[in-house]
Amino acid sequence: MKKSTQQTRVAESQVTPESIFWNRRQFIQKFGLATSYLGMMGIAPVNAESNSGLSGLALKDELSSEYVITHHNNFYEFSTDKKKPAELAKNFTPGNDWRVAIEGEIEKPGEYTLEDILKWVQLEERIYRLRCVEAWSMVVPWTGFELSTLIKHVKPTSKAKYIEFKTLHDPKVFPGQKRGLFGMHSLPWPYVEGLTIEEAMNPLTLMATGVYGKNLPGQNGAPLRLVVPWKYGFKSIKSVVSIRFSETQPVNTWNKRARREYGFYANVNPNVDHPRWSQATERRITDESFFGVKKIPTQMFNGYADQVAHLYKGLDLTRFY
Ligand SMILES: Nc1nc2c(c(=O)[nH]1)N[C@H]1C(S)=C(S)[C@@H](COP(=O)(O)O)O[C@H]1N2
Ligand SMILES: [Mo]
């Protein structure tokens, strides 16, 4: 069953031109509904009238299969083994009563449910590349909303320069948060990530609630996770319970863990190698062998330079990696 449905899906979506991407978005805005991925494939008119300089989003890459996206995961709260989160997350099925603390330098701090948040925003589908710092990549059809909409809703003060995100910390839910050998943790918990307010406001930055037209499965960061497609995957923090606006730069988990290997910015950059491996190429994982046999050149900002390069003008990207 698994095999045949996937193959159909991938075949139907080999090419995802910009026109489909943007018209889908307009369609959803117009009719105020998020239709499933397959449903949308049928209605895409041609001619994207090259929307407001948002070219460069033409994504001709083959989609990774739903099976790959949901069975090859980095989610250390469950396990450091990429094949295990799918199994271990079976009972992690949070719903719209999921609570998110939104606080710090904003006019409307509070504890909100996902249901509250979904009233403020517009869901849409976005197909993005996901490039892990480990040099593998996938192409994912996310459902989600622009983080900028949430930000505007809670009204940041002039002191809000950064946003810090946290994942749920609960060893009863996440076995990987229990102490392991020698009382060690795989990472310091909770998992923390951060963005500058400008990065968070960029129209590419999503909060995802779904993948392949379905609610996010536990292993992909249910019920709400960040997606920042021009940065290495570790920035795209899963199962978010806290969004805090601050004046100072947050210390993100991987930076805390290995400062010289993982920075705050973590922009995808083929010219700055990881201290232990090259970042010039990546293995594109499309099918369930997980091998990612196709080796392709990594693009600056993961191919989203037109949308985000301006954010880093004057910043030495070899120092601020
Ligand atoms: N809370 C949390 N978020 C996380 C991670 C994690 O271990 N814990 N792994 C990150 C890494 S390294 C990657 S590559 C992506 C993987 O997302 P995916 O499993 O949906 O492909 O999630 C990121 N978000
Ligand atoms: Mo990653």
Side-chain angles (χ1 to χ4, degrees):
M1 179 218 110
K2 180 188 83 199
K3 235 180 183 153
S4 59
T5 50
Q6 267 168 231
Q7 280 167 356
T8 331
R9 279 215 148 161
V10 173
E12 272 166 327
S13 49
Q14 295 280 330
V15 175
T16 307
E18 186 180 14
S19 55
I20 295 176
F21 177 98
W22 285 106
N23 280 298
R24 232 190 242 149
R25 183 173 178 210
Q26 290 160 353
F27 178 87
I28 290 168
Q29 280 173 346
K30 196 160 168 199
F31 297 100
L33 41 89
T35 316
S36 79
Y37 180 70
L38 284 179
M40 300 307 293
M41 290 306 288
I43 58 103
V46 205
N47 186 6
E49 60 213 58
S50 56
N51 255 298
S52 55
L54 286 158
S55 60
L57 285 175
L59 201 53
K60 297 192 169 59
D61 311 38
E62 183 184 332
L63 284 187
S64 299
S65 74
E66 183 177 3
Y67 187 81
V68 164
I69 293 167
T70 58
H71 290 78
H72 175 281
N73 302 102
N74 271 334
F75 201 165
Y76 280 28
E77 282 84 342
F78 283 112
S79 171
T80 56
D81 179 338
K82 294 183 187 14
K83 291 189 180 158
K84 286 197 174 151
E87 180 61 32
L88 292 169
K90 282 232 158 80
N91 298 319
F92 179 54
T93 53
N96 283 2
D97 55 351
W98 179 263
R99 303 185 87 80
V100 186
I102 308 183
E103 51 202 4
E105 295 295 343
I106 51 175
E107 285 174 26
K108 296 206 278 181
E111 191 166 82
Y112 300 97
T113 62
L114 180 55
E115 191 176 353
D116 297 328
I117 294 169
L118 290 176
K119 284 181 197 136
W120 314 337
V121 301
Q122 189 74 67
L123 289 180
E124 54 181 279
E125 191 167 64
R126 298 270 182 105
I127 299 171
Y128 284 160
R129 297 180 202 90
L130 172 75
R131 170 53 158 90
C132 177
V133 74
E134 299 164 324
W136 54 265
S137 63
M138 304 195 286
V139 181
V140 185
W142 301 107
T143 308
F145 57 88
E146 285 189 13
L147 176 57
S148 66
T149 333
L150 181 154
I151 294 173
K152 285 178 202 151
H153 187 89
V154 298
K155 299 200 185 333
T157 71
S158 59
K159 286 186 180 163
K161 303 272 162 41
Y162 296 91
I163 305 184
E164 178 196 72
F165 303 82
K166 284 186 186 146
T167 298
L168 176 67
H169 184 188
D170 185 353
K172 291 191 294 296
V173 175
F174 295 132
Q177 288 178 336
K178 292 182 185 139
R179 285 172 196 281
L181 229 45
F182 313 114
M184 301 280 280
H185 287 294
S186 52
L187 284 177
W189 309 115
Y191 196 99
V192 175
E193 258 309 334
L195 295 173
T196 67
I197 197 89
E198 292 80 16
E199 293 172 332
M201 287 296 292
N202 188 278
L204 284 182
T205 306
L206 280 197
M207 293 303 296
T209 56
V211 71
Y212 264 99
K214 299 170 188 159
N215 286 342
L216 275 181
Q219 62 268 31
N220 293 94
L224 184 69
R225 59 97 54 91
L226 182 66
V227 176
V228 202
W230 72 94
K231 293 177 177 283
Y232 290 121
F234 68 82
K235 297 296 290 183
S236 293
I237 182 173
K238 295 175 168 181
S239 305
V240 168
V241 292
S242 161
I243 301 177
R244 171 178 279 281
F245 294 70
S246 66
E247 202 169 7
T248 51
Q249 186 172 295
V251 179
N252 50 316
T253 294
W254 279 101
N255 179 246
K256 202 165 163 185
R257 176 64 191 270
R259 190 154 319 165
R260 285 176 307 120
E261 301 190 3
Y262 310 102
F264 172 78
Y265 287 94
N267 293 313
V268 174
N269 189 340
N271 309 313
V272 177
D273 287 340
H274 185 278
R276 291 182 280 130
W277 58 84
S278 163
Q279 294 291 25
T281 62
E282 64 202 56
R283 291 175 298 109
R284 177 59 57 81
I285 303 178
T286 50
D287 67 41
E288 59 204 74
S289 69
F290 299 144
F291 287 148
V293 275
K294 213 159 85 189
K295 214 172 180 191
I296 60 175
T298 289
Q299 302 179 66
M300 189 65 207
F301 297 114
N302 205 20
Y304 300 101
D306 286 353
Q307 287 76 39
V308 301
H310 68 274
L311 296 170
Y312 309 102
K313 237 183 256 154
L315 198 70
D316 178 355
L317 296 175
T318 62
R319 279 189 59 220
F320 296 91
Y321 49 83

